[in-house]
Amino acid sequence: MAAHVHLLLLLIATVCEAKVPAVIVFGDSSVDAGNNNVISTVLKSNFLPYGRDFVGGRPTGRFSNGRIPPDFISEAFGLKPTVPAYLDRMYSIKDFATGVCFASAGTGYDNATATVLNVIPMWREMEYYKEYQQKLRSYLGDNKANFTLSEALYLVSLGTNDFLENYYSSLPGGRRSQFTVGQYEDFLVGLATNLITELHRLGARKVSLTGLPPMGCLPLERTTNFFGLNECVQEYNDVAVEFNGKLRKAVARMNQRLPGLRMVLSDPYELFLQIIKKPSSFGFDITQRACCSTGLYEMSYLCNQQNPFTCIDASKYVFWDSFHPTEKMNQILSEYLTRELLLPTFS
Ligand SMILES: *[C@@H]1O[C@H](CO)[C@@H](O)[C@H](O)[C@H]1NC(C)=O
Ligand SMILES: *[C@@H]1O[C@H](CO)[C@@H](O)[C@H](O)[C@H]1NC(C)=O
């Protein structure tokens, strides 16, 4: 009798612990844990006050005061509380066996987006992933590595930069001269489909594809909305909603076509917008400007220790710098998506 109860408890404990063997991350600054630290770009965050609320008060290259969504999601699945960057020399395959991040701040689905700030394009994130597969097979052996690669949770989060850094930035010869915004959305959905198809071919099965946030409400976009009295830029929010709708259809199509694929669209838009509209309901005071520096336009090197205006308590702010959420905002969004979508689907 007692032995049965014991066995049952053991079973329950095992089921609760071993949800996925690893979290594997692709995308942009929304999920970059520090890959940009070692490349030649102006888009970096491996200096204070970035990371001031991270373990040890340490800047890591995450674009926040603390942890970012993959960290919270990894922890919720019973894995480690932070997912390390693949290019960070502090870590090795031993660490990467349960979680690894290939993301690069400033990148997009479109190669042309990565070129703007000289960051890692998606095709190269995929090359790093292939190299990782080889290292994992040497480290764990073929069988175990294949199990990890097919049972891992893949987080893919990007797209904002394709619109804000590329399409709407009026670069000479930019995408705006070639596509209407609707055509560009379709072009990006095509690239997303190719990306996921390639990931699936390489062994991925459990995938979370992240939708766009209400990107017209990022402080940087509000600041430049002179004629709109610094309200959210409605056009950008409309594009985000339309793009997320197209992504949702693409996700359904891929789930039908690609054998064994179980992909979900992690769409943060509605909750994100609710928080911006009613910050006090979520424990925030300020949403229209960021904590770092004046909070109006600074990010990367402009968000630094020399600036005297940085806020004291980042947990009162939705945004940490003019383009990226605070740790607390990351936590609220991640917990919601994990509880409502990721844990029910993948555990
Ligand atoms: C992006 O660049 C890579 C490397 O040059 C190339 O293989 C790929 O076809 C390009 N993708 C698109 C959509 O242009
Ligand atoms: C592991 O996966 C690779 C690539 O799909 C395949 O070539 C290999 O045979 C697999 N090994 C085992 C032991 O299943």
Side-chain angles (χ1 to χ4, degrees):
M1 179 69 185
H4 280 106
V5 173
H6 186 75
L7 186 63
L8 186 65
L9 287 177
L10 195 68
L11 275 174
I12 291 170
T14 312
V15 169
C16 291
E17 272 170 24
K19 283 168 175 150
V20 295
V23 169
I24 299 175
V25 183
F26 297 88
D28 63 14
S29 61
S30 59
V31 292
D32 183 358
N35 287 309
N36 277 19
N37 300 355
V38 299
I39 64 169
S40 174
T41 175
V42 294
L43 205 57
K44 289 182 192 259
S45 59
N46 54 340
F47 39 81
L48 289 168
Y50 284 101
R52 71 180 192 187
D53 299 310
F54 196 80
V55 193
R58 193 167 60 86
T60 58
R62 286 170 176 78
F63 280 77
S64 190
N65 56 310
R67 290 194 289 163
I68 53 177
D71 302 322
F72 290 108
I73 293 169
S74 169
E75 189 172 34
F77 274 83
L79 297 167
K80 56 196 174 204
T82 57
V83 178
Y86 186 63
L87 301 181
D88 188 332
R89 292 182 194 104
M90 275 180 57
Y91 301 98
S92 68
I93 190 65
K94 181 168 159 284
D95 308 289
F96 299 143
T98 56
V100 62
C101 170
F102 302 102
S104 172
T107 204
Y109 288 110
D110 186 353
N111 282 341
T113 303
T115 307
V116 176
L117 291 171
N118 193 32
V119 299
I120 304 170
M122 285 314 291
W123 64 267
R124 189 171 286 142
E125 290 192 24
M126 295 299 284
E127 291 298 313
Y128 285 131
Y129 172 62
K130 290 182 206 164
E131 181 186 274
Y132 164 76
Q133 288 202 333
Q134 288 176 354
K135 288 184 184 169
L136 194 70
R137 291 195 169 108
S138 320
Y139 178 69
L140 292 177
D142 257 18
N143 261 325
K144 238 184 139 186
N146 284 3
F147 177 81
T148 294
L149 295 169
S150 63
E151 292 297 315
L153 174 58
Y154 291 76
L155 304 176
V156 181
S157 175
L158 68 165
T160 304
N161 298 315
D162 292 306
F163 292 100
L164 299 185
E165 194 187 303
N166 180 346
Y167 190 84
Y168 285 112
S169 73
S170 324
L171 292 168
R175 293 303 192 187
R176 208 170 179 176
S177 60
Q178 303 164 345
F179 297 105
T180 66
V181 72
Q183 288 168 340
Y184 192 54
E185 289 166 7
D186 295 339
F187 175 70
L188 296 179
V189 169
L191 295 179
T193 303
N194 295 346
L195 178 72
I196 301 297
T197 304
E198 173 70 353
L199 262 184
H200 174 267
R201 191 182 68 77
L202 293 168
R205 293 296 178 266
K206 304 174 172 180
V207 182
S208 158
L209 183 62
T210 307
L212 298 180
M215 56 190 184
C217 298
L218 301 177
L220 184 64
E221 307 311 320
R222 284 189 186 234
T223 300
T224 46
N225 192 13
F226 306 114
F227 302 111
L229 303 171
N230 302 122
E231 290 296 326
C232 299
V233 182
Q234 193 57 44
E235 181 181 355
Y236 297 170
N237 283 358
D238 292 344
V239 166
V241 170
E242 193 167 78
F243 183 72
N244 289 348
K246 289 179 179 178
L247 267 189
R248 192 177 293 279
K249 286 188 186 140
V251 165
R253 277 198 300 273
M254 284 186 266
N255 278 332
Q256 280 194 339
R257 272 188 212 155
L258 301 172
L261 181 68
R262 280 200 288 156
M263 178 160 51
V264 296
L265 183 73
S266 288
D267 186 349
Y269 187 94
E270 283 306 325
L271 178 60
F272 207 126
L273 193 63
Q274 256 184 42
I275 295 171
I276 285 165
K277 284 187 173 161
K278 257 193 138 218
S280 61
S281 307
F282 299 85
F284 295 109
D285 292 343
I286 296 168
T287 178
Q288 62 275 39
R289 62 190 162 78
C291 168
C292 194
S293 305
T294 66
L296 298 176
Y297 63 90
E298 297 92 343
M299 69 164 136
S300 191
Y301 285 114
L302 295 176
C303 165
N304 60 50
Q305 283 291 68
Q306 276 66 57
N307 198 299
F309 301 110
T310 298
C311 81
I312 303 291
D313 182 1
S315 73
K316 297 274 188 283
Y317 287 71
V318 172
F319 293 98
W320 163 251
D321 68 14
S322 66
F323 219 71
H324 304 99
T326 53
E327 176 180 58
K328 180 171 161 188
M329 180 66 171
N330 284 331
Q331 180 169 15
I332 292 174
L333 292 172
S334 310
E335 282 179 353
Y336 168 78
L337 289 172
T338 306
R339 189 180 63 237
E340 298 297 317
L341 196 60
L342 301 179
L343 279 174
T345 312
F346 297 122
S347 63

Short mmCIF file of all heavy atoms in Angstrom, two decimals, residues 243-287:
data_model
loop_
_atom_site.label_atom_id
_atom_site.label_comp_id
_atom_site.label_asym_id
_atom_site.label_seq_id
_atom_site.Cartn_x
_atom_site.Cartn_y
_atom_site.Cartn_z
N PHE A 243 -0.38 41.31 -39.15
CA PHE A 243 0.71 40.35 -39.32
C PHE A 243 0.49 39.12 -38.43
O PHE A 243 0.67 37.99 -38.88
CB PHE A 243 2.05 41.03 -38.99
CG PHE A 243 3.25 40.14 -39.20
CD1 PHE A 243 3.67 39.81 -40.47
CD2 PHE A 243 3.95 39.63 -38.12
CE1 PHE A 243 4.77 38.99 -40.68
CE2 PHE A 243 5.05 38.81 -38.30
CZ PHE A 243 5.46 38.49 -39.59
N ASN A 244 0.09 39.35 -37.18
CA ASN A 244 -0.15 38.21 -36.27
C ASN A 244 -1.27 37.31 -36.81
O ASN A 244 -1.19 36.08 -36.68
CB ASN A 244 -0.51 38.70 -34.86
CG ASN A 244 0.69 39.31 -34.15
OD1 ASN A 244 1.83 39.18 -34.59
ND2 ASN A 244 0.43 40.00 -33.03
N GLY A 245 -2.29 37.90 -37.42
CA GLY A 245 -3.36 37.11 -38.03
C GLY A 245 -2.82 36.23 -39.15
O GLY A 245 -3.17 35.05 -39.27
N LYS A 246 -1.94 36.80 -39.98
CA LYS A 246 -1.36 36.03 -41.08
C LYS A 246 -0.45 34.92 -40.54
O LYS A 246 -0.42 33.80 -41.08
CB LYS A 246 -0.57 36.95 -42.01
CG LYS A 246 -1.48 37.87 -42.83
CD LYS A 246 -0.69 38.82 -43.74
CE LYS A 246 -1.64 39.69 -44.54
NZ LYS A 246 -0.92 40.65 -45.41
N LEU A 247 0.30 35.24 -39.48
CA LEU A 247 1.17 34.23 -38.88
C LEU A 247 0.35 33.07 -38.32
O LEU A 247 0.72 31.91 -38.46
CB LEU A 247 1.97 34.82 -37.72
CG LEU A 247 3.37 35.38 -37.96
CD1 LEU A 247 4.01 35.71 -36.62
CD2 LEU A 247 4.26 34.43 -38.74
N ARG A 248 -0.79 33.43 -37.70
CA ARG A 248 -1.64 32.39 -37.10
C ARG A 248 -2.11 31.39 -38.17
O ARG A 248 -2.10 30.18 -37.96
CB ARG A 248 -2.84 33.05 -36.41
CG ARG A 248 -3.63 32.12 -35.50
CD ARG A 248 -4.77 32.86 -34.79
NE ARG A 248 -4.29 33.84 -33.82
CZ ARG A 248 -3.88 33.52 -32.58
NH1 ARG A 248 -3.91 32.27 -32.18
NH2 ARG A 248 -3.44 34.45 -31.76
N LYS A 249 -2.47 31.91 -39.33
CA LYS A 249 -2.89 31.02 -40.43
C LYS A 249 -1.72 30.17 -40.91
O LYS A 249 -1.88 28.98 -41.20
CB LYS A 249 -3.44 31.85 -41.59
CG LYS A 249 -4.82 32.42 -41.29
CD LYS A 249 -5.43 33.07 -42.52
CE LYS A 249 -6.73 33.75 -42.13
NZ LYS A 249 -6.91 35.06 -42.82
N ALA A 250 -0.55 30.79 -40.99
CA ALA A 250 0.63 30.04 -41.45
C ALA A 250 0.97 28.92 -40.47
O ALA A 250 1.36 27.82 -40.87
CB ALA A 250 1.82 30.99 -41.61
N VAL A 251 0.80 29.21 -39.18
CA VAL A 251 1.07 28.20 -38.15
C VAL A 251 0.13 27.01 -38.34
O VAL A 251 0.55 25.85 -38.31
CB VAL A 251 0.93 28.81 -36.73
CG1 VAL A 251 0.84 27.72 -35.67
CG2 VAL A 251 2.10 29.74 -36.44
N ALA A 252 -1.15 27.29 -38.58
CA ALA A 252 -2.13 26.21 -38.78
C ALA A 252 -1.76 25.39 -40.01
O ALA A 252 -1.81 24.15 -39.99
CB ALA A 252 -3.54 26.80 -38.92
N ARG A 253 -1.37 26.07 -41.10
CA ARG A 253 -0.98 25.35 -42.32
C ARG A 253 0.22 24.45 -42.07
O ARG A 253 0.26 23.30 -42.48
CB ARG A 253 -0.61 26.36 -43.42
CG ARG A 253 -1.79 26.91 -44.20
CD ARG A 253 -1.33 27.53 -45.53
NE ARG A 253 -0.38 28.62 -45.35
CZ ARG A 253 -0.72 29.90 -45.15
NH1 ARG A 253 -1.99 30.25 -45.13
NH2 ARG A 253 0.19 30.83 -45.00
N MET A 254 1.22 24.98 -41.38
CA MET A 254 2.44 24.18 -41.15
C MET A 254 2.15 22.99 -40.25
O MET A 254 2.70 21.91 -40.47
CB MET A 254 3.55 25.07 -40.55
CG MET A 254 4.19 25.96 -41.58
SD MET A 254 5.59 26.88 -40.90
CE MET A 254 4.80 28.41 -40.44
N ASN A 255 1.29 23.18 -39.25
CA ASN A 255 0.94 22.05 -38.38
C ASN A 255 0.29 20.92 -39.17
O ASN A 255 0.45 19.74 -38.85
CB ASN A 255 0.01 22.51 -37.26
CG ASN A 255 0.78 23.13 -36.10
OD1 ASN A 255 1.93 22.79 -35.85
ND2 ASN A 255 0.15 24.05 -35.40
N GLN A 256 -0.44 21.28 -40.23
CA GLN A 256 -1.06 20.26 -41.08
C GLN A 256 -0.05 19.57 -41.98
O GLN A 256 -0.11 18.38 -42.20
CB GLN A 256 -2.15 20.90 -41.95
CG GLN A 256 -3.44 21.11 -41.20
CD GLN A 256 -4.59 21.42 -42.15
OE1 GLN A 256 -4.35 21.85 -43.29
NE2 GLN A 256 -5.81 21.20 -41.70
N ARG A 257 0.86 20.39 -42.51
CA ARG A 257 1.75 19.88 -43.55
C ARG A 257 2.99 19.16 -43.05
O ARG A 257 3.50 18.26 -43.72
CB ARG A 257 2.23 21.06 -44.42
CG ARG A 257 1.30 21.34 -45.55
CD ARG A 257 1.91 22.37 -46.48
NE ARG A 257 0.85 23.18 -47.05
CZ ARG A 257 0.99 24.40 -47.50
NH1 ARG A 257 2.17 24.99 -47.40
NH2 ARG A 257 -0.02 25.05 -48.02
N LEU A 258 3.52 19.60 -41.92
CA LEU A 258 4.81 19.07 -41.49
C LEU A 258 4.59 17.99 -40.43
O LEU A 258 4.12 18.28 -39.34
CB LEU A 258 5.70 20.21 -40.96
CG LEU A 258 5.98 21.33 -41.96
CD1 LEU A 258 6.69 22.50 -41.31
CD2 LEU A 258 6.80 20.81 -43.14
N PRO A 259 4.94 16.74 -40.75
CA PRO A 259 4.62 15.61 -39.87
C PRO A 259 5.21 15.77 -38.46
O PRO A 259 6.40 16.05 -38.32
CB PRO A 259 5.28 14.41 -40.57
CG PRO A 259 5.50 14.84 -41.98
CD PRO A 259 5.63 16.32 -41.97
N GLY A 260 4.34 15.60 -37.47
CA GLY A 260 4.81 15.62 -36.08
C GLY A 260 4.99 17.01 -35.50
O GLY A 260 5.27 17.14 -34.31
N LEU A 261 4.87 18.05 -36.33
CA LEU A 261 5.07 19.41 -35.81
C LEU A 261 3.91 19.80 -34.90
O LEU A 261 2.74 19.55 -35.21
CB LEU A 261 5.15 20.41 -36.97
CG LEU A 261 5.39 21.88 -36.55
CD1 LEU A 261 6.79 22.05 -35.96
CD2 LEU A 261 5.21 22.82 -37.73
N ARG A 262 4.25 20.38 -33.73
CA ARG A 262 3.24 20.94 -32.85
C ARG A 262 3.66 22.38 -32.55
O ARG A 262 4.39 22.64 -31.61
CB ARG A 262 3.15 20.13 -31.55
CG ARG A 262 2.35 18.86 -31.72
CD ARG A 262 1.88 18.37 -30.38
NE ARG A 262 2.98 17.82 -29.61
CZ ARG A 262 3.00 17.74 -28.28
NH1 ARG A 262 1.99 18.20 -27.57
NH2 ARG A 262 4.01 17.20 -27.66
N MET A 263 3.20 23.31 -33.37
CA MET A 263 3.62 24.70 -33.20
C MET A 263 2.45 25.53 -32.69
O MET A 263 1.31 25.33 -33.09
CB MET A 263 4.09 25.24 -34.56
CG MET A 263 4.50 26.70 -34.48
SD MET A 263 5.57 27.22 -35.84
CE MET A 263 4.69 26.67 -37.26
N VAL A 264 2.77 26.48 -31.79
CA VAL A 264 1.74 27.43 -31.34
C VAL A 264 2.20 28.85 -31.65
O VAL A 264 3.40 29.13 -31.72
CB VAL A 264 1.46 27.31 -29.83
CG1 VAL A 264 0.89 25.95 -29.48
CG2 VAL A 264 2.71 27.60 -29.00
N LEU A 265 1.23 29.73 -31.86
CA LEU A 265 1.54 31.14 -31.99
C LEU A 265 1.42 31.76 -30.59
O LEU A 265 0.34 31.80 -30.01
CB LEU A 265 0.57 31.84 -32.94
CG LEU A 265 0.90 33.33 -33.14
CD1 LEU A 265 2.13 33.50 -34.01
CD2 LEU A 265 -0.27 34.09 -33.74
N SER A 266 2.55 32.22 -30.05
CA SER A 266 2.54 32.92 -28.76
C SER A 266 2.29 34.40 -29.06
O SER A 266 3.21 35.14 -29.39
CB SER A 266 3.86 32.74 -28.04
OG SER A 266 3.97 31.43 -27.55
N ASP A 267 1.04 34.79 -28.97
CA ASP A 267 0.66 36.15 -29.38
C ASP A 267 0.53 37.03 -28.14
O ASP A 267 -0.43 36.90 -27.38
CB ASP A 267 -0.67 36.09 -30.14
CG ASP A 267 -1.05 37.44 -30.72
OD1 ASP A 267 -0.41 38.45 -30.35
OD2 ASP A 267 -2.00 37.49 -31.52
N PRO A 268 1.48 37.93 -27.94
CA PRO A 268 1.47 38.74 -26.71
C PRO A 268 0.62 40.02 -26.86
O PRO A 268 0.48 40.78 -25.92
CB PRO A 268 2.94 39.13 -26.57
CG PRO A 268 3.40 39.29 -27.99
CD PRO A 268 2.62 38.26 -28.80
N TYR A 269 0.06 40.25 -28.07
CA TYR A 269 -0.49 41.57 -28.39
C TYR A 269 -1.55 42.06 -27.40
O TYR A 269 -1.46 43.16 -26.86
CB TYR A 269 -1.05 41.57 -29.82
CG TYR A 269 -1.47 42.95 -30.27
CD1 TYR A 269 -0.59 43.76 -30.98
CD2 TYR A 269 -2.72 43.47 -29.96
CE1 TYR A 269 -0.94 45.03 -31.38
CE2 TYR A 269 -3.08 44.75 -30.35
CZ TYR A 269 -2.19 45.52 -31.06
OH TYR A 269 -2.55 46.79 -31.43
N GLU A 270 -2.58 41.24 -27.18
CA GLU A 270 -3.73 41.72 -26.39
C GLU A 270 -3.33 42.06 -24.96
O GLU A 270 -3.70 43.12 -24.45
CB GLU A 270 -4.86 40.68 -26.40
CG GLU A 270 -5.65 40.65 -27.70
CD GLU A 270 -6.22 42.02 -28.09
OE1 GLU A 270 -6.61 42.80 -27.18
OE2 GLU A 270 -6.24 42.33 -29.30
N LEU A 271 -2.62 41.14 -24.31
CA LEU A 271 -2.22 41.40 -22.92
C LEU A 271 -1.29 42.61 -22.85
O LEU A 271 -1.43 43.47 -21.98
CB LEU A 271 -1.54 40.16 -22.33
CG LEU A 271 -1.01 40.34 -20.89
CD1 LEU A 271 -2.14 40.68 -19.93
CD2 LEU A 271 -0.28 39.08 -20.43
N PHE A 272 -0.35 42.68 -23.79
CA PHE A 272 0.60 43.79 -23.84
C PHE A 272 -0.16 45.11 -23.92
O PHE A 272 0.13 46.07 -23.17
CB PHE A 272 1.52 43.60 -25.05
CG PHE A 272 2.88 44.22 -24.93
CD1 PHE A 272 4.03 43.45 -25.14
CD2 PHE A 272 3.06 45.56 -24.63
CE1 PHE A 272 5.30 44.01 -25.04
CE2 PHE A 272 4.32 46.12 -24.53
CZ PHE A 272 5.44 45.34 -24.74
N LEU A 273 -1.14 45.17 -24.79
CA LEU A 273 -1.89 46.42 -24.97
C LEU A 273 -2.74 46.76 -23.73
O LEU A 273 -2.82 47.92 -23.33
CB LEU A 273 -2.79 46.33 -26.21
CG LEU A 273 -3.39 47.66 -26.67
CD1 LEU A 273 -2.29 48.64 -27.09
CD2 LEU A 273 -4.37 47.45 -27.83
N GLN A 274 -3.33 45.72 -23.14
CA GLN A 274 -4.10 45.93 -21.90
C GLN A 274 -3.23 46.57 -20.83
O GLN A 274 -3.67 47.49 -20.13
CB GLN A 274 -4.53 44.57 -21.34
CG GLN A 274 -5.97 44.20 -21.54
CD GLN A 274 -6.23 42.87 -20.83
OE1 GLN A 274 -5.76 42.64 -19.71
NE2 GLN A 274 -6.95 41.99 -21.49
N ILE A 275 -2.00 46.07 -20.70
CA ILE A 275 -1.08 46.59 -19.68
C ILE A 275 -0.73 48.05 -19.97
O ILE A 275 -0.68 48.88 -19.08
CB ILE A 275 0.19 45.71 -19.59
CG1 ILE A 275 -0.20 44.31 -19.10
CG2 ILE A 275 1.23 46.34 -18.67
CD1 ILE A 275 0.91 43.27 -19.17
N ILE A 276 -0.53 48.35 -21.26
CA ILE A 276 -0.21 49.73 -21.63
C ILE A 276 -1.39 50.66 -21.35
O ILE A 276 -1.21 51.80 -20.92
CB ILE A 276 0.24 49.79 -23.11
CG1 ILE A 276 1.66 49.24 -23.22
CG2 ILE A 276 0.17 51.21 -23.65
CD1 ILE A 276 2.11 48.92 -24.60
N LYS A 277 -2.58 50.15 -21.58
CA LYS A 277 -3.77 51.00 -21.37
C LYS A 277 -4.11 51.17 -19.89
O LYS A 277 -4.62 52.21 -19.48
CB LYS A 277 -4.97 50.39 -22.09
CG LYS A 277 -4.93 50.61 -23.60
CD LYS A 277 -6.22 50.12 -24.24
CE LYS A 277 -6.28 50.49 -25.71
NZ LYS A 277 -7.26 49.64 -26.42
N LYS A 278 -3.86 50.11 -19.11
CA LYS A 278 -4.22 50.17 -17.69
C LYS A 278 -3.07 49.65 -16.83
O LYS A 278 -3.20 48.62 -16.16
CB LYS A 278 -5.46 49.31 -17.44
CG LYS A 278 -6.71 50.16 -17.28
CD LYS A 278 -7.87 49.37 -16.74
CE LYS A 278 -8.60 50.19 -15.71
NZ LYS A 278 -9.10 49.51 -14.57
N PRO A 279 -1.93 50.36 -16.86
CA PRO A 279 -0.74 49.85 -16.16
C PRO A 279 -0.98 49.61 -14.67
O PRO A 279 -0.45 48.66 -14.11
CB PRO A 279 0.30 50.95 -16.39
CG PRO A 279 -0.43 52.13 -16.91
CD PRO A 279 -1.69 51.64 -17.54
N SER A 280 -1.80 50.44 -14.05
CA SER A 280 -1.98 50.33 -12.59
C SER A 280 -2.59 48.99 -12.20
O SER A 280 -2.32 48.48 -11.12
CB SER A 280 -2.81 51.49 -12.07
OG SER A 280 -4.08 51.46 -12.67
N SER A 281 -3.42 48.40 -13.08
CA SER A 281 -4.01 47.09 -12.76
C SER A 281 -2.95 46.00 -12.66
O SER A 281 -3.23 44.91 -12.17
CB SER A 281 -5.00 46.65 -13.85
OG SER A 281 -5.92 47.64 -14.06
N PHE A 282 -1.77 46.26 -13.20
CA PHE A 282 -0.72 45.25 -13.20
C PHE A 282 0.45 45.67 -12.32
O PHE A 282 1.51 45.08 -12.36
CB PHE A 282 -0.25 44.99 -14.63
CG PHE A 282 -1.34 44.46 -15.53
CD1 PHE A 282 -2.21 45.34 -16.17
CD2 PHE A 282 -1.52 43.10 -15.69
CE1 PHE A 282 -3.24 44.86 -16.98
CE2 PHE A 282 -2.54 42.61 -16.50
CZ PHE A 282 -3.42 43.49 -17.14
N GLY A 283 0.26 46.73 -11.54
CA GLY A 283 1.30 47.18 -10.60
C GLY A 283 2.32 48.14 -11.19
O GLY A 283 3.34 48.41 -10.58
N PHE A 284 2.04 48.65 -12.40
CA PHE A 284 2.97 49.62 -13.00
C PHE A 284 2.45 51.05 -12.83
O PHE A 284 1.24 51.27 -12.76
CB PHE A 284 3.12 49.36 -14.50
CG PHE A 284 3.74 48.04 -14.84
CD1 PHE A 284 2.98 47.01 -15.40
CD2 PHE A 284 5.10 47.82 -14.64
CE1 PHE A 284 3.55 45.79 -15.73
CE2 PHE A 284 5.69 46.60 -14.98
CZ PHE A 284 4.91 45.59 -15.53
N ASP A 285 3.38 52.02 -12.79
CA ASP A 285 2.99 53.43 -12.76
C ASP A 285 3.14 54.09 -14.12
O ASP A 285 2.35 54.95 -14.49
CB ASP A 285 3.88 54.22 -11.77
CG ASP A 285 3.61 53.80 -10.33
OD1 ASP A 285 2.56 53.18 -10.09
OD2 ASP A 285 4.47 54.08 -9.48
N ILE A 286 4.20 53.69 -14.85
CA ILE A 286 4.56 54.47 -16.05
C ILE A 286 4.76 53.58 -17.26
O ILE A 286 5.43 52.55 -17.19
CB ILE A 286 5.85 55.28 -15.79
CG1 ILE A 286 5.56 56.30 -14.67
CG2 ILE A 286 6.31 56.01 -17.04
CD1 ILE A 286 6.77 56.95 -14.11
N THR A 287 4.15 53.99 -18.36
CA THR A 287 4.20 53.17 -19.56
C THR A 287 4.63 53.95 -20.80
O THR A 287 5.14 53.38 -21.76
CB THR A 287 2.83 52.49 -19.80
OG1 THR A 287 2.88 51.75 -20.98
CG2 THR A 287 1.71 53.52 -19.91
#
